[in-house]
Amino acid sequence: MFTEAIQNYLQRHDYKSFYPKAVFFDMDGVLIDSMKNHSRAWMQAMKESNLPFTEEDAYMHEGCIGATTINDTFMKHLNREATEEEQKQIYSAKSRIFESLEPIEKMPFAYELLKKLKSEEMKIYVVTGSGQPKLIDSLNTLFPEIFTKETMITGFDVKEGKPSPEPYLLALKRSGFQPWETIVVENAPMGILSASKAGLFTLVVNTGPFDDDFLYSYGADLVLDSMEHLYNEWDNFRKSWI
Ligand code: MG
């Protein structure tokens, strides 16, 4: 399973070797179990502005910065982009609702995997479209001694955000690694598109509502069931690096 995925990846990008030294983690739906709350908060905030927005819309925009989610919804229903004022208003409503919901938990086996990677001296980054300071702060509470300011790329660091390759290209630049020296762990279509366009090996943990084939169609190199699955298979994956 791993050997085939790596061979296909090398062939597709015309790279010679795959020997990762860094792992770039998406945050929502990968490290933290936050997608149900994001989805509820987006639906409620859009409703307050009389904009139709479904759970599927929320998952299809997972990973995007707030402005993209809001502009796409305006284009779809009002045939225009949102003004800066409208963007601000809806995003702050979404953040307010999000923070009123039950606290976010770690994704099962996320911390175990992070600690294992740290013990193997892998560099660990988080690459998220989120611009909610409390949520970003929660990473340090949930995963002590894993991330620093330098290793966190958030919605505040980028202009376009996912699905543009921009955030993952920034992670490459900050870390100083080549694409074939890194792995991305993603879960959502727009994040997969972003990582795959940046030329990175995109390992997907399917924690959302889509089927595996749908996620492959966005450029996933390999789809696993969960973070637990990845944790259990990590040593086998590592043995396949060339
Ligand atoms: Mg995600």
Side-chain angles (χ1 to χ4, degrees):
M1 159 174 83
F2 293 116
T3 308
E4 199 189 341
I6 291 168
Q7 291 293 356
N8 288 340
Y9 166 78
L10 292 175
Q11 215 163 30
R12 188 145 52 98
H13 296 279
D14 205 17
Y15 297 150
K16 301 280 177 287
S17 79
F18 176 69
Y19 211 88
K21 296 175 181 131
V23 185
F24 301 157
F25 284 93
D26 172 46
M27 180 174 77
D28 294 298
V30 169
L31 295 177
I32 58 176
D33 193 4
S34 49
M35 274 313 294
K36 273 198 193 86
N37 286 10
H38 279 301
S39 166
R40 277 173 67 188
W42 272 121
M43 286 195 288
Q44 182 63 34
M46 295 289 192
K47 198 173 165 194
E48 286 175 8
S49 294
N50 293 316
L51 289 157
F53 195 85
T54 64
E55 193 170 29
E56 196 188 334
D57 292 330
Y59 281 93
M60 278 309 294
H61 282 93
E62 182 186 347
C64 297
I65 55 173
T68 304
T69 308
I70 295 163
N71 276 332
D72 284 357
T73 308
F74 267 68
M75 284 305 292
K76 186 171 165 188
H77 298 289
L78 303 174
N79 225 1
R80 66 170 176 88
E81 289 204 334
T83 63
E84 232 170 83
E85 193 52 40
E86 288 165 331
Q87 287 180 22
K88 237 169 140 183
Q89 187 219 320
I90 297 175
Y91 195 65
S92 79
K94 187 261 171 176
S95 302
R96 171 179 46 80
I97 298 159
F98 185 90
E99 276 164 26
S100 73
L101 299 173
E102 58 268 32
I104 299 298
E105 303 283 342
K106 291 191 270 273
M107 212 40 128
F109 284 82
Y111 195 32
E112 287 77 1
L113 180 62
L114 292 171
K115 284 188 289 189
K116 186 175 169 59
L117 297 181
K118 201 180 170 188
S119 77
E120 294 175 3
E121 294 184 353
M122 296 290 286
K123 302 282 180 239
I124 301 168
Y125 286 74
V126 64
V127 181
T128 177
S130 178
Q132 288 185 232
K134 265 196 187 164
L135 200 57
I136 298 163
D137 284 348
S138 74
L139 282 180
N140 286 325
T141 317
L142 293 171
F143 307 107
E145 290 172 37
I146 299 290
F147 300 106
T148 63
K149 216 170 166 243
E150 184 63 18
T151 60
M152 292 164 89
I153 289 160
T154 73
F156 296 108
D157 297 303
V158 294
K159 276 205 188 73
E160 296 173 8
K162 304 170 189 179
S164 154
E166 180 196 21
Y168 284 110
L169 292 174
L170 181 61
L172 278 180
K173 196 174 160 199
R174 264 204 211 169
S175 66
F177 292 116
Q178 299 296 328
W180 56 88
E181 295 175 314
T182 67
I183 300 161
V184 170
V185 183
E186 261 290 350
N187 72 314
M190 295 306 117
I192 298 169
L193 208 53
S194 167
S196 135
K197 279 191 287 188
L200 311 184
F201 187 91
T202 310
L203 213 160
V204 176
V205 287
N206 190 355
T207 61
F210 305 114
D211 62 34
D212 289 0
D213 284 343
F214 186 71
L215 299 176
Y216 278 114
S217 77
Y218 281 86
D221 290 291
L222 188 65
V223 180
L224 300 179
D225 298 338
S226 60
M227 286 296 270
E228 180 175 0
H229 193 189
L230 175 56
Y231 176 80
N232 289 330
E233 288 290 338
W234 181 260
D235 292 337
N236 284 331
F237 179 39
R238 215 186 158 95
K239 281 180 207 147
S240 317
W241 299 353
I242 45 170

